Each structure stands twice: as structure tokens, then as C-alpha cells.
């Protein structure tokens, strides 16, 4: 029994996909325009964040004297200062820095997989895709931890006017400041996390296809490139979320 | 049959050496810019100037991710502009609505006292 692969003759007619507008294949162009529409969605989230933030009182006092209050928008350094395994240690933004590093690294391994695909190097594509899946899953794990911490809160909590204390955050009550702050945290990082999750699923799919030699038989690794575009976009969004949510 | 498959993969000829210099250079730039952001976050007081520095560094990072990793820098001019012009409009919307947010806050706090 011999296995024979029959390749369909490439479509070269103008209306058959032979015409490549802007010198990019149909699949790549569609990925670009999908990402553009996705950027609008994330843009809308960040615009709402900016608008909500500017209609709340900013904290103007000394950062050391800051306490959580519904009166003003919280300082991110005081909210995101926990690190797994280091309970009670004040490490402002350290964990978020680690998450950013993991995502940038995953972007690098992804572009290395794409580069290997251009060289038709199946083993290298497999290797770098596996690293990307690993980093992506690690990022998701980090985010799960960060959410858990955000929801359960720290040891001090926030003192309400009636003398009770609230710990952690949900959609209506939050120890860090105005409820809108928690709502936007859940929406923005959650929407980004959903993208990372679907990105990891796509990566696993193309990894399986690569191992089975699907792309090698096809003669090109363009599917890796298309999923790569999606993955870099997730990293790109994080760069903006990081600046607007955690730094500013 | 299995050997036949293995044979298939190996008949593609010599696999060229990886060209990864630009990729690692971009990686170093991205990590460096993030480190600079942290430097400013801890050594500088919060304010408009610090926020402006953060936004400028973010735009630089976005440029390297989109340009090098997503390869947009090397696409045709038509593709570059058809992605950049809509994004420029979104950026403008952001500036406009944040200004509106400040105005809205002013109105709520001052006019309805």
C-alpha cells in the first residue's frame, strides 16, 4: 500500500484567488482585517476605561499614605503588589512584570516558529510552537492566580463608613475603590485572557497538524504565519493593557 | 510505509540556516523598553509627564511588535495604510473621549452642587 498525495492545481485566474491584492494571500488579509476589528473592540474597552477614570477623583496625596476608598480611583501600585508564595510582601507590579515578560517571550518563540516554517524546517516549527504553547499556558495560569487574589482581596481590606470592612472585589463591591474599577479589570483582562485561551487552542491545533505533516505536504507553513499574526496581536493588546491599566 | 513517510520529509533538500538576528534584536528592544517603563514607574512622581512617557514608550513597543513580529513593515504600502489609518482614528477617539471624561467629571462636581 502506498500513500500518494494529490495536490490540486493552484488557482491562478483573477477571480479564482490568483489575484492577490496588496501582495498578501486571502487568508493573511482576512486575518489582518479580523485583527483590525478586534483592535476596535479592545480600543472601545480602553476608551471606556479612560472615560470612567477621568470622571472619578484621582488620588493626589502622598502614595505612602494611600488607603483604599470609594472616593477616588486607586493607584495601581497599591492594588497589584502581591506575588505568589510571598504573602504580605509589598512588591508593586512585580507579578505583572513577570506576566509581561512571559507574553513577550511567547511572541518571540512564535515568530521563530514562523521563520522555521519559511525554511520548511518541520522540527524547528514543532519545537518553537511547543515553547509558545507552554508560555501561553503559563500566562493563563498567572492570570488565574491574579484574578483569584483580586477577588479574595488582601489582609487589610477597605473600611466602609458604617465601620464594616470589605475584602476583595466583585462586580458590585470592591475593596480597591469604585466598583467600576473592578468591573473594568474583569472585562479588560478577562477579554484579553479569552483571546490568549483561544490562541493556545489554535496553537495546539496547528501543532498537531505540523506533527502530522499536513503543512509539509501542502508545501508551505502559511497557517503557522496566520495563527502567528493572531498571537502577536494578543501580545500587542497586552502592551496597551499593561500601560493603561497597570502603569498610568 | 512508515519509512516512506520519513523519506517524504527528508526529500526537501537542505534546510537553510535560521535567520533570527532581527527577531532577537526586536526581543531585546521590547524587554529594554519595558524595563525603562518600570524605571520611570518607580523613580518618577505620577503626573502628565510620566503618563506621556509611558504612552510614547508603548507606541514604540507597538511599532516593533506590529512592524517586525507581524511583519507589517515589509508588506505593501496599501496594506500598511489600510491598517494604520483606522487605528489612528481609534487613537483620536480615545483622546477625545478622555477629554470628555474630564469635562463630564467637572460638570458633575461643579454644576450640580
Amino acid at each position: 500500500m502506498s500513500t500518494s498525495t494529490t495536490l490540486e492545481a493552484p488557482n491562478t485566474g483573477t477571480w479564482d484567488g490568483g489575484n492577490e491584492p496588496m501582495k498578501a494571500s486571502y487568508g493573511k488579509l482576512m486575518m489582518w482585517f479580523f485583527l483590525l476589528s478586534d483592535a476596535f473592540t479592545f480600543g472601545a474597552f480602553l476608551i471606556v476605561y479612560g472615560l470612567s477614570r477621568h470622571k472619578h477623583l484621582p488620588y493626589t496625596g502622598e502614595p505612602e499614605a494611600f488607603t483604599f476608598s470609594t472616593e477616588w480611583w486607586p493607584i495601581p501600585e497599591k492594588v497589584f503588589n502581591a506575588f505568589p508564595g510571598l504573602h504580605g510582601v509589598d512588591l508593586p507590579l512585580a507579578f505583572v512584570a513577570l506576566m509581561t515578560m512571559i507574553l513577550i517571550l511567547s511572541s518571540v518563540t512564535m515568530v521563530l516558529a514562523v521563520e522555521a516554517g519559511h525554511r520548511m524546517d518541520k522540527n524547528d516549527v514543532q519545537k518553537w510552537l511547543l515553547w509558545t504553547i507552554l508560555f501561553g499556558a503559563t500566562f493563563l495560569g498567572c492570570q488565574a492566580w491574579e484574578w483569584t487574589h483580586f477577588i479574595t482581596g488582601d489582609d487589610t481590606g477597605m473600611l466602609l463608613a458604617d465601620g464594616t470592612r470589605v475584602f476583595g472585589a466583585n462586580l458590585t463591591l470592591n475593596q480597591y475603590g469604585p466598583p467600576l474599577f473592578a468591573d473594568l479589570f474583569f472585562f479588560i483582562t478577562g477579554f484579553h485572557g479569552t483571546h490568549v485561551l483561544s490562541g493556545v487552542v489554535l496553537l495546539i491545533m496547528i501543532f498537531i497538524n505540523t506533527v502530522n505533516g499536513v503543512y509539509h505536504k501542502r508545501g508551505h507553513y502559511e497557517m503557522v504565519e496566520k495563527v502567528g499574526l493572531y498571537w502577536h496581536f494578543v501580545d500587542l493588546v497586552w502592551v496597551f493593557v499593561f500601560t493603561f491599566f497597570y502603569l498610568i | 510505509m512508515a519509512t516512506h513517510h520519513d523519506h517524504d520529509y527528508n526529500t526537501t533538500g537542505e534546510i537553510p540556516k535560521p535567520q533570527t538576528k532581527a527577531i532577537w534584536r526586536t526581543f531585546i528592544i521590547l524587554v529594554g523598553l519595558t524595563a525603562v517603563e518600570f524605571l520611570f514607574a518607580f523613580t518618577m512622581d505620577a503626573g502628565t509627564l510620566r503618563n506621556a512617557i509611558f504612552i510614547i514608550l508603548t507606541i514604540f513597543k507597538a511599532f516593533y511588535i506590529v512592524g517586525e513580529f507581524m511583519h507589517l513593515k515589509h508588506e505593501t504600502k496599501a496594506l500598511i495604510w489600510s491598517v494604520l489609518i483606522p487605528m489612528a482614528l481609534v487613537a483620536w477617539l480615545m483622546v477625545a473621549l478622555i477629554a470628555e471624561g474630564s469635562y463630564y467629571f467637572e460638570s458633575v462636581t461643579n454644576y450640580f452642587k
Side-chain angles (χ1 to χ4, degrees):
Chain A
M1 190 179 112
S2 72
T3 46
S4 61
T5 33
T6 47
L7 282 174
E8 278 178 38
N11 297 324
T12 48
T14 310
W15 296 97
D16 263 340
N19 182 19
E20 290 192 344
M22 304 193 265
K23 290 198 185 96
S25 73
Y26 172 80
K28 255 183 7 189
L29 271 188
M30 288 306 110
M31 185 50 96
W32 268 112
F33 291 121
F34 162 70
L35 293 179
L36 193 60
S37 76
D38 221 12
F40 291 168
T41 314
F42 277 108
F45 272 142
L46 289 176
I47 286 165
V48 170
Y49 178 78
L51 179 77
S52 320
R53 193 181 170 148
H54 274 253
K55 82 179 245 311
H56 280 84
L57 213 53
Y59 178 72
T60 47
E62 282 296 306
E64 289 79 24
F66 178 80
T67 47
F68 294 131
S69 155
T70 42
E71 259 183 66
W72 48 67
W73 204 257
I75 304 176
E77 289 106 288
K78 299 285 169 184
V79 180
F80 307 102
N81 63 352
F83 202 89
L86 296 170
H87 186 81
V89 187
D90 179 42
L91 294 164
L93 303 176
F95 193 52
V96 138
L98 180 69
M99 285 165 71
T100 307
M101 281 302 305
I102 291 168
L103 212 56
I104 291 177
L105 260 177
S106 82
S107 219
V108 172
T109 54
M110 186 71 235
V111 77
L112 287 169
V114 173
E115 195 271 344
H118 283 304
R119 294 182 289 113
M120 298 296 290
D121 189 340
K122 183 166 167 268
N123 289 335
D124 259 18
V125 176
Q126 273 167 237
K127 178 178 80 183
W128 292 122
L129 278 182
L130 215 49
W131 277 112
T132 315
I133 292 168
L134 183 80
F135 286 131
T138 311
F139 181 85
L140 281 176
C142 291
Q143 211 168 33
W145 186 89
E146 203 193 21
W147 272 52
T148 313
H149 182 265
F150 191 81
I151 291 167
T152 44
D154 60 11
D155 295 334
T156 33
M158 179 169 63
L159 190 65
L160 293 184
D162 61 359
T164 52
R165 271 186 187 278
V166 280
F167 297 96
N170 53 42
L171 287 177
T172 50
L173 199 65
N174 124 50
Q175 73 155 68
Y176 310 103
L180 252 183
F181 175 76
D183 298 348
L184 286 162
F185 175 79
F186 290 133
F187 269 95
I188 295 173
T189 64
F191 204 64
H192 177 264
T194 312
H195 275 71
V196 180
L197 180 67
S198 44
V200 170
V201 171
L202 286 174
L203 283 171
I204 291 172
M205 282 161 68
I206 60 164
F207 176 72
I208 292 168
N209 276 349
T210 308
V211 172
N212 289 337
V214 173
Y215 304 132
H216 215 91
K217 278 180 214 149
R218 201 177 280 175
H220 58 80
Y221 280 82
E222 202 189 89
M223 195 53 87
V224 178
E225 228 172 305
K226 281 178 255 182
V227 174
L229 282 178
Y230 181 82
W231 191 258
H232 296 313
F233 176 77
V234 172
D235 183 29
L236 177 71
V237 167
W238 184 254
V239 165
F240 282 93
V241 170
F242 173 64
T243 300
F244 289 109
F245 212 95
Y246 293 92
L247 286 181
I248 290 182
Chain B
M1 199 183 95
T3 45
H4 179 73
H5 264 272
D6 286 338
H7 186 68
D8 257 353
Y9 298 139
N10 292 328
T11 46
T12 42
E14 288 291 299
I15 293 168
K17 284 267 164 284
Q19 302 286 327
T20 54
K21 220 172 139 188
I23 295 171
W24 288 111
R25 198 182 57 119
T26 312
F27 170 68
I28 288 164
I29 290 169
L30 288 176
V31 172
L33 288 176
T34 311
V36 171
E37 280 183 334
F38 270 91
L39 199 70
F40 278 112
F42 292 121
T43 56
M44 203 175 162
D45 287 334
T48 315
L49 181 64
R50 193 178 77 161
N51 288 351
I53 292 169
F54 284 151
I55 291 169
I56 290 165
L57 289 176
T58 303
I59 290 168
F60 270 112
K61 282 205 279 187
F63 170 79
Y64 278 105
I65 291 173
V66 178
E68 289 294 341
F69 285 173
M70 297 172 85
H71 209 257
L72 189 63
K73 221 171 99 185
H74 310 285
E75 302 285 358
T76 57
K77 279 219 167 67
L79 182 51
I80 294 174
W81 287 116
S82 55
V83 171
L84 282 191
I85 290 173
M87 283 328 291
L89 293 173
V90 171
W92 161 244
L93 187 64
M94 197 162 192
V95 173
L97 281 179
I98 286 173
E100 281 302 303
S102 307
Y103 169 74
Y104 183 53
F105 173 72
E106 291 274 302
S107 343
V108 169
T109 44
N110 294 329
Y111 302 159
F112 300 106
K113 264 179 189 167

